[in-house]
Amino acid sequence: MSTGDEHRNMLPTPSQQTGVVYDLQAYGFSPHGGIARIFDELFTVIDRPGSPWTAYLFHEYHLQRYPTRGERVRFHPDGLTMHPLLRRFPSVRRVTAPLLRARRKALNIRLFHPTFYPNHQTFAHLPAVVNVYDLVHETIDHADNMPDHRGYLEIKRRWIERANQLICISESTRRELLEHYHVPEDRVHVIHLGYGARFRPMETTESHPPVIRGMPNDHKPYFLYVGSRQRYKNFHRLVAAYGAWRHHDEVNLVVVGSPCQQDDRILLDLARQPTGVYFTGPVSDEELVNLYNRAAGFIYPSLKEGFGIPLLEAMACRCPMLVSDIPVFREVAGDQALYMNPVDQESMIDGMDRLLAFEKITWPEQTRTAQLAKYSWERCSQETLAVYQKALA
Protein backbone atom coordinates (compact mmCIF):
# COMPACT_ATOMS: atom_id res chain seq x y z
CA MET A 1 0.00 0.00 0.00
CA SER A 2 1.41 3.38 -0.92
CA THR A 3 2.01 5.97 1.77
CA GLY A 4 0.77 9.58 1.71
CA ASP A 5 4.34 10.75 0.93
CA GLU A 6 4.55 8.38 -2.06
CA HIS A 7 1.21 9.69 -3.32
CA ARG A 8 2.40 13.29 -3.08
CA ASN A 9 5.57 12.40 -4.97
CA MET A 10 3.45 11.07 -7.83
CA LEU A 11 1.51 14.32 -8.20
CA PRO A 12 2.44 16.76 -10.97
CA THR A 13 4.92 19.43 -9.90
CA PRO A 14 3.95 23.09 -10.49
CA SER A 15 6.05 23.17 -13.65
CA GLN A 16 4.26 20.07 -14.98
CA GLN A 17 0.81 21.37 -14.19
CA THR A 18 -0.93 23.97 -16.32
CA GLY A 19 -1.47 27.23 -14.47
CA VAL A 20 -4.61 29.33 -14.96
CA VAL A 21 -4.92 32.85 -13.54
CA TYR A 22 -8.26 34.03 -12.15
CA ASP A 23 -9.12 37.67 -11.61
CA LEU A 24 -11.29 37.72 -8.45
CA GLN A 25 -13.45 40.73 -9.31
CA ALA A 26 -16.73 38.86 -8.67
CA TYR A 27 -15.68 38.13 -5.08
CA GLY A 28 -15.65 41.87 -4.50
CA PHE A 29 -19.03 42.95 -5.82
CA SER A 30 -21.07 39.73 -5.38
CA PRO A 31 -19.22 37.36 -3.03
CA HIS A 32 -22.17 34.99 -2.53
CA GLY A 33 -23.79 35.34 -5.95
CA GLY A 34 -24.01 32.90 -8.83
CA ILE A 35 -20.78 34.05 -10.49
CA ALA A 36 -18.66 33.42 -7.41
CA ARG A 37 -20.40 30.06 -7.01
CA ILE A 38 -19.30 29.02 -10.51
CA PHE A 39 -15.66 29.56 -9.60
CA ASP A 40 -15.99 28.06 -6.11
CA GLU A 41 -17.14 24.83 -7.73
CA LEU A 42 -14.46 25.00 -10.42
CA PHE A 43 -11.69 25.50 -7.85
CA THR A 44 -12.97 22.46 -5.95
CA VAL A 45 -12.49 20.31 -9.06
CA ILE A 46 -9.09 21.81 -9.84
CA ASP A 47 -7.88 21.13 -6.30
CA ARG A 48 -8.51 17.38 -6.48
CA PRO A 49 -5.50 15.04 -6.16
CA GLY A 50 -3.94 14.33 -9.52
CA SER A 51 -5.42 17.40 -11.22
CA PRO A 52 -3.27 18.64 -14.12
CA TRP A 53 -4.34 22.23 -13.38
CA THR A 54 -3.33 24.85 -10.84
CA ALA A 55 -5.47 27.92 -10.15
CA TYR A 56 -3.62 31.15 -9.37
CA LEU A 57 -5.85 33.77 -7.76
CA PHE A 58 -4.93 37.33 -8.70
CA HIS A 59 -5.63 39.37 -5.58
CA GLU A 60 -6.17 42.90 -6.89
CA TYR A 61 -9.56 44.09 -5.66
CA HIS A 62 -10.93 44.64 -2.19
CA LEU A 63 -12.69 41.32 -1.64
CA GLN A 64 -15.68 40.67 0.59
CA ARG A 65 -14.85 36.96 0.56
CA TYR A 66 -11.88 34.83 -0.47
CA PRO A 67 -12.18 31.54 -2.33
CA THR A 68 -11.02 28.47 -0.44
CA ARG A 69 -7.37 27.82 -1.19
CA GLY A 70 -5.70 24.44 -1.46
CA GLU A 71 -2.70 22.62 -2.86
CA ARG A 72 -3.68 23.62 -6.41
CA VAL A 73 -5.62 26.81 -5.63
CA ARG A 74 -3.13 29.51 -4.61
CA PHE A 75 -2.64 33.24 -4.72
CA HIS A 76 -0.79 34.54 -7.77
CA PRO A 77 2.49 36.20 -6.70
CA ASP A 78 1.83 39.32 -8.80
CA GLY A 79 -1.21 40.01 -6.68
CA LEU A 80 1.20 41.06 -3.96
CA THR A 81 2.13 44.11 -6.04
CA MET A 82 -1.37 45.46 -5.41
CA HIS A 83 -0.71 45.68 -1.67
CA PRO A 84 -1.31 49.29 -0.46
CA LEU A 85 2.29 49.62 0.76
CA LEU A 86 3.72 48.61 -2.61
CA ARG A 87 1.37 51.00 -4.42
CA ARG A 88 2.51 53.75 -2.07
CA PHE A 89 6.24 53.01 -2.46
CA PRO A 90 7.02 52.27 -6.16
CA SER A 91 10.71 51.82 -5.36
CA VAL A 92 9.91 48.76 -3.22
CA ARG A 93 7.73 47.44 -6.05
CA ARG A 94 10.67 47.76 -8.46
CA VAL A 95 12.87 45.77 -6.11
CA THR A 96 10.33 42.94 -5.85
CA ALA A 97 9.64 42.77 -9.60
CA PRO A 98 12.65 40.58 -10.57
CA LEU A 99 11.81 38.15 -7.77
CA LEU A 100 8.22 37.90 -8.98
CA ARG A 101 9.30 37.35 -12.58
CA ALA A 102 11.45 34.39 -11.58
CA ARG A 103 8.67 32.93 -9.48
CA ARG A 104 6.10 33.49 -12.24
CA LYS A 105 8.25 31.68 -14.83
CA ALA A 106 8.30 28.53 -12.71
CA LEU A 107 4.51 28.37 -12.46
CA ASN A 108 3.78 27.38 -16.08
CA ILE A 109 0.89 29.86 -16.27
CA ARG A 110 -0.67 29.58 -19.70
CA LEU A 111 -4.24 30.90 -19.49
CA PHE A 112 -6.27 33.76 -18.01
CA HIS A 113 -9.90 33.31 -16.94
CA PRO A 114 -11.34 36.48 -15.34
CA THR A 115 -14.41 36.04 -13.14
CA PHE A 116 -15.87 39.20 -14.70
CA TYR A 117 -14.50 41.97 -16.96
CA PRO A 118 -11.44 43.62 -15.36
CA ASN A 119 -10.35 47.07 -16.43
CA HIS A 120 -6.68 46.14 -16.79
CA GLN A 121 -4.43 44.29 -19.22
CA THR A 122 -2.15 42.64 -16.67
CA PHE A 123 -2.30 39.29 -18.47
CA ALA A 124 -2.57 40.51 -22.05
CA HIS A 125 0.15 38.06 -23.10
CA LEU A 126 -2.01 35.06 -22.14
CA PRO A 127 -4.89 33.52 -24.09
CA ALA A 128 -8.19 34.24 -22.30
CA VAL A 129 -11.40 32.35 -21.62
CA VAL A 130 -14.24 34.78 -20.89
CA ASN A 131 -17.70 34.11 -19.47
CA VAL A 132 -20.76 35.94 -20.79
CA TYR A 133 -23.40 35.71 -18.10
CA ASP A 134 -26.19 37.73 -19.71
CA LEU A 135 -26.96 40.66 -21.99
CA VAL A 136 -29.12 42.52 -19.50
CA HIS A 137 -27.42 45.90 -19.90
CA GLU A 138 -27.33 45.63 -23.68
CA THR A 139 -31.09 45.08 -23.90
CA ILE A 140 -32.70 46.86 -20.90
CA ASP A 141 -32.28 50.57 -20.19
CA HIS A 142 -31.27 51.32 -16.59
CA ALA A 143 -31.36 47.62 -15.72
CA ASP A 144 -29.87 48.24 -12.28
CA ASN A 145 -28.34 50.98 -10.15
CA MET A 146 -25.14 51.22 -12.17
CA PRO A 147 -24.73 55.00 -12.69
CA ASP A 148 -23.25 54.76 -16.19
CA HIS A 149 -23.35 51.37 -17.90
CA ARG A 150 -21.62 52.64 -21.05
CA GLY A 151 -18.12 52.31 -19.58
CA TYR A 152 -18.91 48.82 -18.32
CA LEU A 153 -20.24 47.75 -21.74
CA GLU A 154 -17.12 49.06 -23.47
CA ILE A 155 -14.88 47.03 -21.16
CA LYS A 156 -17.12 43.99 -21.67
CA ARG A 157 -16.97 44.41 -25.46
CA ARG A 158 -13.16 44.51 -25.39
CA TRP A 159 -13.01 41.26 -23.43
CA ILE A 160 -15.52 39.54 -25.72
CA GLU A 161 -13.47 40.55 -28.76
CA ARG A 162 -10.19 39.55 -27.13
CA ALA A 163 -11.25 36.14 -25.78
CA ASN A 164 -9.89 33.01 -27.40
CA GLN A 165 -12.94 31.10 -26.17
CA LEU A 166 -16.26 32.37 -24.79
CA ILE A 167 -18.54 30.58 -22.33
CA CYS A 168 -22.27 31.37 -22.23
CA ILE A 169 -24.30 30.03 -19.32
CA SER A 170 -27.38 29.32 -21.45
CA GLU A 171 -28.34 28.80 -25.07
CA SER A 172 -30.50 31.93 -24.84
CA THR A 173 -27.44 33.97 -23.85
CA ARG A 174 -25.43 32.42 -26.69
CA ARG A 175 -28.04 33.46 -29.26
CA GLU A 176 -28.14 37.02 -27.92
CA LEU A 177 -24.34 37.21 -27.84
CA LEU A 178 -24.03 36.14 -31.48
CA GLU A 179 -26.72 38.60 -32.52
CA HIS A 180 -25.35 41.56 -30.57
CA TYR A 181 -21.58 41.13 -30.86
CA HIS A 182 -21.24 39.06 -34.06
CA VAL A 183 -18.44 36.86 -32.74
CA PRO A 184 -17.47 33.64 -34.56
CA GLU A 185 -19.74 30.79 -33.50
CA ASP A 186 -16.86 28.34 -33.11
CA ARG A 187 -15.50 30.44 -30.22
CA VAL A 188 -18.73 30.23 -28.19
CA HIS A 189 -19.67 27.36 -25.88
CA VAL A 190 -22.82 26.85 -23.80
CA ILE A 191 -22.12 25.53 -20.30
CA HIS A 192 -25.14 25.38 -18.03
CA LEU A 193 -24.82 26.03 -14.31
CA GLY A 194 -25.71 23.66 -11.48
CA TYR A 195 -27.24 23.56 -8.02
CA GLY A 196 -26.15 22.32 -4.62
CA ALA A 197 -26.87 18.73 -3.55
CA ARG A 198 -28.36 20.01 -0.28
CA PHE A 199 -31.38 21.32 -2.24
CA ARG A 200 -33.80 18.41 -2.05
CA PRO A 201 -37.31 17.52 -0.90
CA MET A 202 -37.47 17.21 2.87
CA GLU A 203 -39.42 14.67 4.83
CA THR A 204 -42.33 16.08 6.80
CA THR A 205 -40.44 15.39 10.02
CA GLU A 206 -37.46 17.40 8.71
CA SER A 207 -39.39 20.42 7.49
CA HIS A 208 -39.77 22.26 10.77
CA PRO A 209 -40.04 26.07 10.69
CA PRO A 210 -36.54 27.58 10.89
CA VAL A 211 -35.82 30.48 13.18
CA ILE A 212 -35.19 33.19 10.59
CA ARG A 213 -35.22 36.89 11.33
CA GLY A 214 -38.09 38.61 9.53
CA MET A 215 -40.22 35.51 9.11
CA PRO A 216 -43.85 35.88 10.25
CA ASN A 217 -45.30 33.79 13.06
CA ASP A 218 -48.84 33.73 11.71
CA HIS A 219 -48.49 30.27 10.06
CA LYS A 220 -50.06 31.53 6.84
CA PRO A 221 -48.96 29.96 3.53
CA TYR A 222 -46.40 32.04 1.70
CA PHE A 223 -44.92 32.67 -1.72
CA LEU A 224 -41.14 32.92 -1.85
CA TYR A 225 -38.99 35.45 -3.75
CA VAL A 226 -35.21 34.86 -3.80
CA GLY A 227 -32.55 37.20 -5.13
CA SER A 228 -31.57 40.82 -5.59
CA ARG A 229 -34.18 43.46 -6.37
CA GLN A 230 -32.63 45.47 -9.16
CA ARG A 231 -34.88 46.82 -11.89
CA TYR A 232 -34.42 43.94 -14.33
CA LYS A 233 -35.46 41.53 -11.56
CA ASN A 234 -38.95 43.08 -11.84
CA PHE A 235 -39.59 42.94 -8.09
CA HIS A 236 -41.47 46.25 -8.28
CA ARG A 237 -44.13 44.71 -10.53
CA LEU A 238 -44.41 41.69 -8.25
CA VAL A 239 -45.11 43.91 -5.23
CA ALA A 240 -47.71 45.88 -7.19
CA ALA A 241 -49.44 42.70 -8.36
CA TYR A 242 -49.31 41.18 -4.88
CA GLY A 243 -50.86 44.35 -3.40
CA ALA A 244 -53.70 44.14 -5.94
CA TRP A 245 -54.21 40.39 -5.49
CA ARG A 246 -57.39 39.51 -3.64
CA HIS A 247 -55.63 36.85 -1.53
CA HIS A 248 -52.77 38.97 -0.21
CA ASP A 249 -54.32 38.96 3.28
CA GLU A 250 -54.30 35.15 3.26
CA VAL A 251 -50.90 34.42 1.70
CA ASN A 252 -47.64 36.10 2.71
CA LEU A 253 -44.81 37.11 0.38
CA VAL A 254 -41.42 36.22 1.90
CA VAL A 255 -38.44 38.00 0.32
CA VAL A 256 -34.97 36.47 0.68
CA GLY A 257 -31.98 38.64 -0.17
CA SER A 258 -30.74 41.96 1.14
CA PRO A 259 -32.61 43.56 4.06
CA CYS A 260 -35.51 45.91 3.36
CA GLN A 261 -34.26 49.14 1.78
CA GLN A 262 -35.75 52.60 1.31
CA ASP A 263 -36.68 51.69 -2.29
CA ASP A 264 -38.60 48.68 -0.98
CA ARG A 265 -40.58 50.85 1.43
CA ILE A 266 -41.51 53.15 -1.44
CA LEU A 267 -42.72 50.15 -3.45
CA LEU A 268 -44.86 49.03 -0.52
CA ASP A 269 -46.34 52.53 -0.22
CA LEU A 270 -47.25 52.51 -3.90
CA ALA A 271 -48.85 49.06 -3.46
CA ARG A 272 -51.01 50.45 -0.62
CA GLN A 273 -48.98 48.77 2.10
CA PRO A 274 -49.94 45.09 1.81
CA THR A 275 -49.28 43.66 5.25
CA GLY A 276 -48.00 40.25 4.18
CA VAL A 277 -44.59 41.22 2.74
CA TYR A 278 -41.65 40.08 4.90
CA PHE A 279 -37.93 40.66 4.24
CA THR A 280 -35.66 38.03 5.82
CA GLY A 281 -32.33 39.43 4.69
CA PRO A 282 -29.64 36.87 3.74
CA VAL A 283 -30.17 33.25 4.79
CA SER A 284 -27.99 30.16 4.83
CA ASP A 285 -28.42 27.39 2.26
CA GLU A 286 -29.90 25.16 4.96
CA GLU A 287 -32.49 27.82 5.81
CA LEU A 288 -33.24 28.37 2.12
CA VAL A 289 -33.84 24.65 1.58
CA ASN A 290 -36.38 24.74 4.39
CA LEU A 291 -38.05 27.85 2.96
CA TYR A 292 -38.40 26.26 -0.50
CA ASN A 293 -39.85 23.10 1.02
CA ARG A 294 -42.44 24.91 3.10
CA ALA A 295 -43.45 27.51 0.50
CA ALA A 296 -46.78 27.42 -1.31
CA GLY A 297 -44.80 28.52 -4.35
CA PHE A 298 -41.70 30.27 -5.66
CA ILE A 299 -42.06 33.36 -7.88
CA TYR A 300 -39.33 34.49 -10.29
CA PRO A 301 -40.59 37.56 -12.22
CA SER A 302 -37.37 38.71 -13.95
CA LEU A 303 -37.49 40.59 -17.23
CA LYS A 304 -34.22 38.95 -18.30
CA GLU A 305 -31.69 36.52 -16.84
CA GLY A 306 -28.60 34.73 -18.02
CA PHE A 307 -29.64 31.47 -16.39
CA GLY A 308 -31.49 31.37 -13.04
CA ILE A 309 -29.98 29.11 -10.36
CA PRO A 310 -33.02 29.59 -8.05
CA LEU A 311 -35.10 27.76 -10.65
CA LEU A 312 -33.01 24.63 -10.10
CA GLU A 313 -33.03 25.04 -6.34
CA ALA A 314 -36.82 25.37 -6.20
CA MET A 315 -37.27 22.50 -8.66
CA ALA A 316 -34.95 20.26 -6.62
CA CYS A 317 -37.03 21.00 -3.50
CA ARG A 318 -40.26 20.25 -5.41
CA CYS A 319 -41.46 23.80 -4.81
CA PRO A 320 -44.13 24.90 -7.32
CA MET A 321 -42.85 27.73 -9.51
CA LEU A 322 -44.43 30.75 -11.19
CA VAL A 323 -41.87 32.33 -13.50
CA SER A 324 -41.58 34.84 -16.32
CA ASP A 325 -42.29 33.53 -19.79
CA ILE A 326 -38.85 34.38 -21.19
CA PRO A 327 -36.67 32.11 -23.35
CA VAL A 328 -34.02 31.31 -20.75
CA PHE A 329 -36.61 30.19 -18.18
CA ARG A 330 -38.25 27.95 -20.77
CA GLU A 331 -34.79 26.52 -21.47
CA VAL A 332 -33.92 25.86 -17.82
CA ALA A 333 -37.29 24.93 -16.29
CA GLY A 334 -39.00 23.36 -19.30
CA ASP A 335 -42.47 22.16 -18.35
CA GLN A 336 -41.67 22.18 -14.63
CA ALA A 337 -43.08 25.68 -14.03
CA LEU A 338 -46.15 27.84 -14.45
CA TYR A 339 -45.50 30.83 -16.71
CA MET A 340 -46.70 34.44 -16.73
CA ASN A 341 -46.17 37.64 -18.69
CA PRO A 342 -43.76 39.62 -16.48
CA VAL A 343 -44.95 43.04 -17.69
CA ASP A 344 -48.69 42.34 -17.39
CA GLN A 345 -50.11 42.73 -13.88
CA GLU A 346 -53.24 40.74 -14.67
CA SER A 347 -51.13 37.87 -15.98
CA MET A 348 -49.07 37.96 -12.78
CA ILE A 349 -52.20 38.01 -10.59
CA ASP A 350 -53.72 35.12 -12.55
CA GLY A 351 -50.42 33.27 -12.12
CA MET A 352 -50.59 33.69 -8.35
CA ASP A 353 -54.13 32.26 -8.40
CA ARG A 354 -52.86 29.25 -10.34
CA LEU A 355 -49.84 28.87 -8.06
CA LEU A 356 -52.00 28.92 -4.93
CA ALA A 357 -54.22 26.16 -6.37
CA PHE A 358 -51.25 24.09 -7.54
CA GLU A 359 -50.59 20.65 -6.09
CA LYS A 360 -46.99 19.45 -5.83
CA ILE A 361 -47.93 16.05 -7.24
CA THR A 362 -49.22 17.52 -10.52
CA TRP A 363 -45.95 16.82 -12.36
CA PRO A 364 -44.57 13.25 -12.33
CA GLU A 365 -41.39 12.82 -10.33
CA GLN A 366 -39.58 11.31 -13.30
CA THR A 367 -40.03 14.47 -15.41
CA ARG A 368 -38.65 16.64 -12.60
CA THR A 369 -35.71 14.28 -12.16
CA ALA A 370 -35.03 14.21 -15.89
CA GLN A 371 -34.99 18.01 -16.11
CA LEU A 372 -32.66 18.36 -13.12
CA ALA A 373 -30.31 15.69 -14.50
CA LYS A 374 -29.23 18.17 -17.19
CA TYR A 375 -27.59 20.42 -14.60
CA SER A 376 -24.76 19.84 -12.13
CA TRP A 377 -21.75 21.77 -10.90
CA GLU A 378 -19.53 18.78 -11.69
CA ARG A 379 -20.59 18.88 -15.34
CA CYS A 380 -20.22 22.67 -15.42
CA SER A 381 -16.66 22.49 -14.08
CA GLN A 382 -15.55 19.62 -16.32
CA GLU A 383 -16.93 21.31 -19.43
CA THR A 384 -15.11 24.51 -18.46
CA LEU A 385 -11.82 22.62 -18.22
CA ALA A 386 -12.51 21.17 -21.68
CA VAL A 387 -12.84 24.72 -23.00
CA TYR A 388 -9.42 25.48 -21.46
CA GLN A 389 -7.98 22.69 -23.59
CA LYS A 390 -9.49 24.25 -26.71
CA ALA A 391 -8.06 27.66 -25.80
CA LEU A 392 -4.59 26.16 -25.40
CA ALA A 393 -4.71 23.97 -28.50
Side-chain angles (χ1 to χ4, degrees):
M1 181 179 295
S2 63
T3 66
D5 288 339
E6 291 172 339
H7 175 69
R8 282 192 292 273
N9 290 335
M10 294 171 60
L11 297 178
T13 64
S15 62
Q16 294 171 322
Q17 294 167 345
T18 300
V20 185
V21 180
Y22 298 87
D23 180 290
L24 299 180
Q25 186 177 4
Y27 290 84
F29 68 80
S30 184
H32 303 288
I35 297 176
R37 183 63 181 271
I38 293 170
F39 289 90
D40 285 339
E41 299 290 342
L42 179 61
F43 296 154
T44 297
V45 171
I46 287 176
D47 200 40
R48 289 175 181 166
S51 168
W53 306 93
T54 300
Y56 290 100
L57 314 179
F58 186 60
H59 183 194
E60 174 187 11
Y61 303 95
H62 172 72
L63 305 182
Q64 298 186 52
R65 178 173 74 84
Y66 292 91
T68 301
R69 272 81 69 206
E71 186 173 352
R72 292 171 184 78
V73 181
R74 313 166 182 171
F75 282 122
H76 187 284
D78 280 5
L80 299 175
T81 65
M82 305 308 297
H83 191 282
L85 287 177
L86 294 183
R87 289 202 298 267
R88 185 176 178 184
F89 301 106
S91 59
V92 178
R93 192 170 176 174
R94 285 194 293 272
V95 171
T96 61
L99 300 175
L100 293 174
R101 278 198 297 271
R103 172 65 176 147
R104 191 189 313 123
K105 186 176 181 180
L107 300 181
N108 192 30
I109 293 174
R110 298 179 57 198
L111 191 67
F112 180 41
H113 188 178
T115 61
F116 206 59
Y117 312 111
N119 190 19
H120 64 70
Q121 296 297 321
T122 305
F123 302 102
H125 62 290
L126 293 174
V129 171
V130 174
N131 286 23
V132 179
Y133 303 105
D134 58 57
L135 275 79
V136 168
H137 292 88
E138 289 88 342
T139 54
I140 298 179
D141 289 334
H142 306 294
D144 55 21
N145 56 5
M146 189 182 295
D148 183 3
H149 66 273
R150 291 171 297 181
Y152 155 71
L153 288 178
E154 177 57 26
I155 294 170
K156 180 179 179 179
R157 180 191 61 79
R158 290 202 300 264
W159 278 106
I160 288 173
E161 292 178 351
R162 186 208 146 173
N164 297 70
Q165 301 291 324
L166 291 154
I167 295 174
C168 291
I169 60 176
S170 65
E171 176 60 30
S172 299
T173 300
R174 186 192 77 89
R175 288 195 298 266
E176 290 187 337
L177 172 69
L178 294 174
E179 180 179 349
H180 194 89
Y181 288 97
H182 308 292
V183 296
E185 290 191 45
D186 60 359
R187 286 171 49 203
V188 184
H189 310 270
V190 175
I191 300 180
H192 289 127
L193 307 186
Y195 66 99
R198 62 175 59 88
F199 291 92
R200 58 182 175 81
M202 298 174 67
E203 300 294 336
T204 304
T205 54
E206 293 182 274
S207 187
H208 57 278
V211 179
I212 300 175
R213 179 183 299 177
M215 279 291 291
N217 295 317
D218 54 18
H219 304 295
K220 291 180 182 178
Y222 64 86
F223 291 152
L224 187 64
Y225 174 92
V226 178
S228 67
R229 301 188 291 278
Q230 301 178 76
R231 184 173 177 269
Y232 77 94
K233 295 289 189 176
N234 209 30
F235 179 73
H236 58 290
R237 284 196 177 94
L238 174 59
V239 170
Y242 176 78
W245 186 41
R246 67 181 184 275
H247 295 299
H248 71 252
D249 288 332
E250 306 161 31
V251 181
N252 293 325
L253 176 62
V254 174
V255 181
V256 173
S258 60
C260 184
Q261 308 291 326
Q262 180 62 31
D263 288 349
D264 299 315
R265 288 189 281 270
I266 293 173
L267 291 178
L268 293 173
D269 284 342
L270 294 174
R272 300 182 180 180
Q273 285 292 341
T275 58
V277 182
Y278 295 88
F279 295 83
T280 69
V283 301
S284 68
D285 279 355
E286 290 75 16
E287 291 168 330
L288 186 55
V289 169
N290 205 303
L291 288 171
Y292 279 129
N293 272 271
R294 294 173 51 234
F298 165 67
I299 303 181
Y300 209 179
S302 298
L303 299 174
K304 183 174 285 293
E305 291 283 350
F307 185 80
I309 293 175
L311 289 174
L312 301 183
E313 295 173 347
M315 197 187 313
C317 294
R318 302 197 75 217
C319 180
M321 300 186 294
L322 173 66
V323 306
S324 298
D325 195 353
I326 56 177
V328 69
F329 286 177
R330 290 280 182 179
E331 177 182 346
V332 175
D335 62 0
Q336 296 298 296
L338 304 172
Y339 291 91
M340 64 183 175
N341 183 341
V343 298
D344 185 308
Q345 181 169 294
E346 291 304 315
S347 176
M348 197 173 288
I349 290 173
D350 175 69
M352 286 189 281
D353 283 333
R354 289 183 288 134
L355 189 61
L356 186 60
F358 185 83
E359 293 291 340
K360 291 189 179 184
I361 61 172
T362 297
W363 285 307
E365 179 68 12
Q366 63 184 28
T367 62
R368 182 187 71 94
T369 303
Q371 188 69 13
L372 285 170
K374 302 175 185 177
Y375 310 104
S376 76
W377 285 121
E378 177 70 21
R379 178 182 293 178
C380 177
S381 298
Q382 294 294 348
E383 290 180 355
T384 299
L385 296 177
V387 171
Y388 289 179
Q389 297 283 15
K390 289 180 179 292
L392 294 172

